[in-house]
Amino acid sequence: MNLLTFDIEEWFLEKAYFGNKQSKYAEYDRLLEELLEHLSEHGHKGTFFCVGKLAEDFPQVVRKISNAGHEIGCHSNTHQWLNKMNYKQAMEDTHSAVDALQQCIGQKVKSYRAPAFSIGSDNKWAFEVLASNGITCDASVFPASRDFGGFPEFAKMEPTVVKYNGIEIHEFPIVTIKVIGKQIAYSGGGYFRFSPYFFIEKEMKKASYSMTYFHLGDLCPVIEGVMSKEDYERYFDETGTTKARYLRYFKTNLGVKGNKRKLFKLIERMGFCNIMEAELQTDWGEAPVISL
Ligand SMILES: [Zn+2]
């Protein structure tokens, strides 16, 4: 079972942080169109986790994805990391986002992914926040250490029932593998951009479960130059040293060129399903249970 998921935030980021350029919106519109066509040609339905603000400011983008038959999931309201919010802020953020997305597409939103996989051992209460807002499936767990989050103690890399304070969520975690002593993901984001194609396909074919996560920003640059100190600090909420700003620029842009061809090849060659389909296919009675 290979899950196909996308995190959609680019239009919102452009408007809020990167200059509100019409040329960037047009570029994202074109890329999305091409991606949806390619998915339809190969009969795949994905889950697109969209930020709530996208439903408010760019509703046509969310509707276009939904009208093509894909599942719309929630990717927070303003792309702030959940581990930088307290319980009350996370409640408000999730409520606003789910509400805006549901109003936009006229359907229930049941799947969630936190920006930067920001659910970990310090904010397990986030699962309660999600369940209170009608979310039944989550894909926010990155069961290894990473920048901005990670949940190494989760230690499960298959569909898992999460129990916390009387609620239950069906978790679809990222899969990581050990390479030179370090746990890394291979099926999304920067890891997908940096890994050779044959390696990714080989790993996915070997696994009985895999979780992909892509962004339009993996296919074209989102940040076209090194961010100013001010913008960096507003966006990342940390000190924008020269080193940090250059590092972020390289991490965001390395491997973007040629990555579309790689992703489209994967779409052509592999079978995929989205979260709602995976939810139905999974025998939850047999799935591992984690009580947090
Ligand atoms: Zn995101």
Side-chain angles (χ1 to χ4, degrees):
M1 178 162 73
N2 302 316
L3 279 91
L4 182 64
T5 75
F6 297 86
D7 297 352
I8 303 294
E9 66 234 17
E10 284 77 9
W11 289 259
F12 163 72
L13 295 182
E14 179 61 31
K15 184 167 187 232
Y17 298 102
F18 302 137
N20 197 19
K21 297 184 288 300
Q22 295 305 316
S23 59
K24 280 316 270 184
Y25 299 138
E27 187 178 9
Y28 296 144
D29 287 342
R30 270 197 312 274
L31 254 181
L32 178 65
E33 178 84 42
E34 220 182 316
L35 174 65
L36 293 177
E37 261 175 36
H38 199 64
L39 290 173
S40 138
E41 230 173 84
H42 296 278
H44 302 310
K45 297 281 186 253
T47 297
F48 287 69
F49 296 103
C50 300
V51 292
K53 278 283 176 202
L54 203 64
E56 274 177 36
D57 296 339
F58 302 90
Q60 75 283 4
V61 172
V62 182
R63 287 197 196 110
K64 191 178 177 69
I65 299 168
S66 177
N67 290 341
H70 301 285
E71 179 191 2
I72 299 296
C74 177
H75 192 43
S76 84
N77 200 36
T78 59
H79 210 254
Q80 290 304 308
W81 312 171
L82 271 188
N83 54 7
K84 291 185 176 176
M85 294 181 206
N86 62 32
Y87 187 93
K88 188 167 170 273
Q89 290 164 330
M91 257 315 191
E92 284 166 7
D93 184 273
T94 310
H95 180 76
S96 306
V98 168
D99 196 42
L101 291 166
Q102 289 185 161
Q103 291 219 19
C104 179
I105 57 168
Q107 286 176 35
K108 285 261 172 238
V109 167
K110 296 184 158 184
S111 301
Y112 184 92
R113 170 170 294 138
F117 303 101
S118 52
I119 298 183
S121 48
D122 294 339
N123 63 343
K124 298 172 201 170
W125 47 258
F127 290 110
E128 189 178 293
V129 168
L130 301 184
S132 314
N133 284 286
I135 299 294
T136 55
C137 295
D138 177 67
S140 306
V141 170
F142 189 100
S145 299
R146 73 188 300 279
D147 290 355
F148 308 122
F151 198 166
E153 304 82 2
F154 193 87
K156 289 276 179 285
M157 289 191 270
E158 59 188 305
T160 299
V161 179
V162 170
K163 293 190 176 189
Y164 176 81
N165 205 16
I167 62 96
E168 247 187 61
I169 292 254
H170 291 160
E171 178 64 36
F172 292 93
I174 294 291
V175 176
T176 63
I177 50 170
K178 206 168 196 171
V179 175
I180 327 172
K182 198 173 179 315
Q183 288 297 133
I184 62 152
Y186 57 88
S187 54
Y191 297 106
F192 182 84
R193 283 187 267 126
F194 306 145
S195 306
Y197 180 84
F198 75 90
F199 169 77
I200 298 162
E201 189 178 308
K202 191 181 86 191
E203 287 299 326
M204 280 180 73
K205 283 189 168 157
K206 227 165 50 183
S208 57
Y209 163 81
S210 73
M211 166 62 78
T212 63
Y213 61 101
F214 302 108
H215 312 76
L216 293 183
D218 291 318
L219 312 177
C220 73
V222 173
I223 308 173
E224 293 194 318
V226 177
M227 285 169 92
S228 71
K229 187 172 181 333
E230 193 191 24
D231 284 349
Y232 182 98
E233 291 179 351
R234 200 158 58 91
Y235 183 44
F236 290 109
D237 194 18
E238 63 181 29
T239 312
T241 61
T242 307
K243 189 181 161 198
R245 289 184 293 125
Y246 271 86
L247 202 65
R248 183 51 50 189
Y249 172 72
F250 286 117
K251 268 193 174 175
T252 312
N253 286 298
L254 214 65
V256 164
K257 204 164 167 269
N259 199 43
K260 187 171 88 184
R261 211 175 49 213
K262 202 160 141 189
L263 171 61
F264 279 28
K265 187 173 173 183
L266 195 76
I267 289 170
E268 279 156 39
R269 291 172 59 94
M270 303 293 289
F272 287 105
C273 64
N274 65 20
I275 302 238
M276 278 298 118
E277 290 165 335
E279 155 92 339
L280 292 172
Q281 281 173 33
T282 303
D283 181 355
W284 292 101
E286 293 295 311
V289 178
I290 290 192
S291 296
L292 296 171

